Amino acid sequence: MPSTAPNASAEADGPAPGRPRPARSGPPAGPSEETVPRARSARTETPPAAAPAPRPAPATTPRRDPRPRVTELRLSTFARHRGATFPVGQVTLFAGPSGSGKSTALAAYEALARLGGGAALAEVFPDPAALVPEGARPDAQRRRGFRIGCTAEGAEGPVRLDLAVQAEPELRIVGERLTAAGLVLLETALRDPSRPAVQAAWHTAGSAPVTRAPLPDDRLGTALLPLRVAGKTDGQRRVLAAAEQMVVALRSVFPCDPRPDGMRAPVRTGSGRLLRGCDNLADVLWRTRAECGRRHGLLVDAVRTGCAGPVVDLLAEPLGDGTVRALLDRGDGRRTELDRLGDGELRYLALALVLFTGPGVLAVDEPGEVPDAMRGLTVLADGFDRGLDPGQRAELLRTAVLMGERGHIRLVGAVSDASWAEAAAITVVHLDA
């Protein structure tokens, strides 16, 4: 557990609101709201009479990045985590020994992303009982579950989503809350266990303060709001804007864990969109080398840094049977097939390709109705440093920071030790076993 994570507890399925009201300090599936102290104003000295004080410059408000992005992950009760709140920056590394919960944190992030894309609960949590904290006792109805949440920032400011999931005796959502600026915009609760639905209430601010209706208990209600809310009142439009910000922030996620064994053999040409295990890397190179010469050049420079021996180019060669293989061009007519590279070199090559290409090349669930300028991409890289030597991991981190500063990509990775990355301008979350 992180040394800085606050403890908190909350009821899993609180009542739906009767009218709009401030968010309670304990949402249905997350830790309590933290109070951020105001910064003290600086003390000013009176200048000498002979030197009149200059007129103060007008106050400026920092420009808010309009692209929706997740800035906080909350694991109230999820596997080994209890009352944990994790910051998420442009580049974030979860660091800790085996069993500290690094992979679990990334799994929670991915689960929220899939739910935001409309996936059913059973698809996202095939073994929900394994996510219930060890030793958690069932209630009088033999129910056990877990609670997760996140905060997404963007044009609407911070928007919080908290979710309570019942894992036993059957998998279902029992509580969900979407809040912004201290106002509950959506709240759901399980009222009748015999029905496959939750009672939902969302902010309206019209002739009626809230609208009530049933929602399915196996889908994220926030993702369904655009289908249920008309947007006729200011309150409804506020609900839709907050829900859209949360869904867009969650959907643009690419979980990546390169598998060197799958990258060595030739692959059939297909969509040219990189898969989670990077098995089809040769097919992607066949596409990107022709379509984006500038980024391919940056990739070759990175490969030159992280692979042994001279590297002039990174090629994809068709074999005539519908397959293509990837090669390193060593110069002077010499080429090296990928099956001759070590596991670390292959993982490095795949992760560099991910960082340089972006959503148009990666197999992600893009919100196509949102302009590119309003979208970001977050890469989830479990075992980010696995098999890499110090030079390779440092170069990948430098690339992630560079692409993050340009607004192309965000990285959330898991490493066993982050001491090598402490000097970089990134967010490091230290977990204890």
Side-chain angles (χ1 to χ4, degrees):
M1 294 292 291
S3 58
T4 59
N7 292 324
S9 60
E11 292 299 323
D13 50 349
R19 60 181 64 249
R21 54 184 171 76
R24 296 197 300 267
S25 59
S32 61
E33 194 97 38
E34 294 183 35
T35 302
V36 180
R38 294 180 177 272
R40 296 180 180 178
S41 57
R43 177 178 299 174
T44 57
E45 298 291 339
T46 304
R55 298 181 63 181
T60 58
T61 302
R63 191 177 68 87
R64 178 178 289 165
D65 187 347
R67 289 171 298 187
R69 61 211 181 276
V70 173
T71 56
E72 184 178 80
L73 179 66
R74 294 184 295 279
L75 306 183
S76 182
T77 51
F78 189 76
R80 76 178 309 277
H81 297 287
R82 288 178 177 271
T85 300
F86 304 127
V88 179
Q90 197 73 53
V91 177
T92 306
L93 294 181
F94 285 85
S98 177
S100 60
K102 307 184 300 293
S103 298
T104 303
L106 266 64
Y109 196 137
E110 181 184 353
L112 288 168
R114 295 183 63 190
L115 290 171
L121 207 60
E123 299 174 17
V124 177
F125 302 113
D127 186 14
L131 302 175
V132 178
E134 187 176 3
R137 296 182 179 181
D139 62 11
Q141 287 76 41
R142 298 183 295 108
R143 300 180 303 176
R144 296 198 311 159
F146 50 88
R147 291 172 286 171
I148 58 178
C150 65
T151 297
E153 296 198 23
E156 298 301 312
V159 177
R160 289 172 56 102
L161 171 67
D162 293 287
L163 188 67
V165 177
Q166 175 185 293
E168 298 172 348
E170 58 181 330
L171 181 64
R172 64 197 313 178
I173 292 175
V174 295
E176 178 180 350
R177 188 174 295 144
L178 185 73
T179 60
L183 182 67
V184 176
L185 301 177
L186 167 70
E187 190 168 29
T188 72
L190 180 65
R191 297 300 184 193
D192 185 355
S194 65
R195 298 181 58 197
V198 291
Q199 183 65 34
W202 55 83
H203 182 56
T204 304
S207 57
V210 297
T211 299
R212 289 186 173 85
L215 290 178
D217 67 352
D218 66 339
R219 307 275 175 172
L220 188 69
T222 297
L224 299 176
L225 284 178
L227 304 176
R228 302 298 299 269
V229 180
K232 294 181 178 180
T233 68
D234 289 341
Q236 289 178 346
R237 287 188 286 271
R238 184 176 183 182
V239 170
L240 287 174
E244 180 182 79
Q245 178 169 297
M246 178 61 67
V247 170
V248 172
L250 288 174
R251 282 178 60 182
S252 301
V253 167
F254 180 65
C256 178
D257 189 7
R259 299 181 299 181
D261 288 343
M263 297 162 57
R264 290 190 165 93
V267 297
R268 292 201 167 274
T269 54
S271 66
R273 292 173 68 86
L274 193 65
L275 301 177
R276 178 181 189 138
C278 302
D279 308 60
N280 64 331
L281 181 140
D283 179 37
V284 176
L285 288 175
W286 174 252
R287 171 193 168 190
T288 58
R289 189 173 186 276
E291 293 184 2
C292 190
R294 184 180 65 84
R295 290 201 179 188
H296 183 80
L298 294 173
L299 175 62
V300 171
D301 288 341
V303 172
R304 189 177 295 120
T305 302
C307 292
V311 176
V312 175
D313 202 353
L314 182 59
L315 308 171
E317 178 183 68
L319 298 180
D321 59 353
T323 64
V324 62
R325 65 177 178 177
L327 306 155
L328 291 183
D329 185 351
R330 302 291 193 179
D332 298 327
R334 296 185 300 117
R335 294 180 175 181
T336 301
E337 297 181 19
L338 290 196
D339 62 358
R340 293 180 175 273
L341 301 184
D343 286 0
E345 289 179 303
L346 288 174
R347 282 185 57 83
Y348 172 85
L349 193 159
L351 289 170
L353 176 62
V354 169
L355 294 174
F356 279 119
T357 50
V361 177
L362 309 178
V364 298
D365 177 27
E366 292 184 87
E369 67 280 7
V370 180
D372 290 346
M374 296 295 291
R375 291 184 299 188
L377 173 69
T378 299
V379 174
L380 303 181
D382 196 7
F384 177 71
D385 60 346
R386 188 187 313 135
L388 303 181
D389 63 34
Q392 290 170 335
R393 67 191 184 190
E395 179 63 19
L396 282 178
L397 184 63
R398 186 195 68 81
T399 300
V401 171
L402 175 64
M403 300 306 285
E405 290 174 346
R406 294 178 178 178
H408 295 304
I409 211 162
R410 292 164 66 86
L411 172 70
V412 179
V415 299
S416 57
D417 173 46
S419 59
W420 56 275
E422 295 288 357
I426 65 173
T427 301
V428 177
V429 179
H430 293 281
L431 301 176
D432 299 325

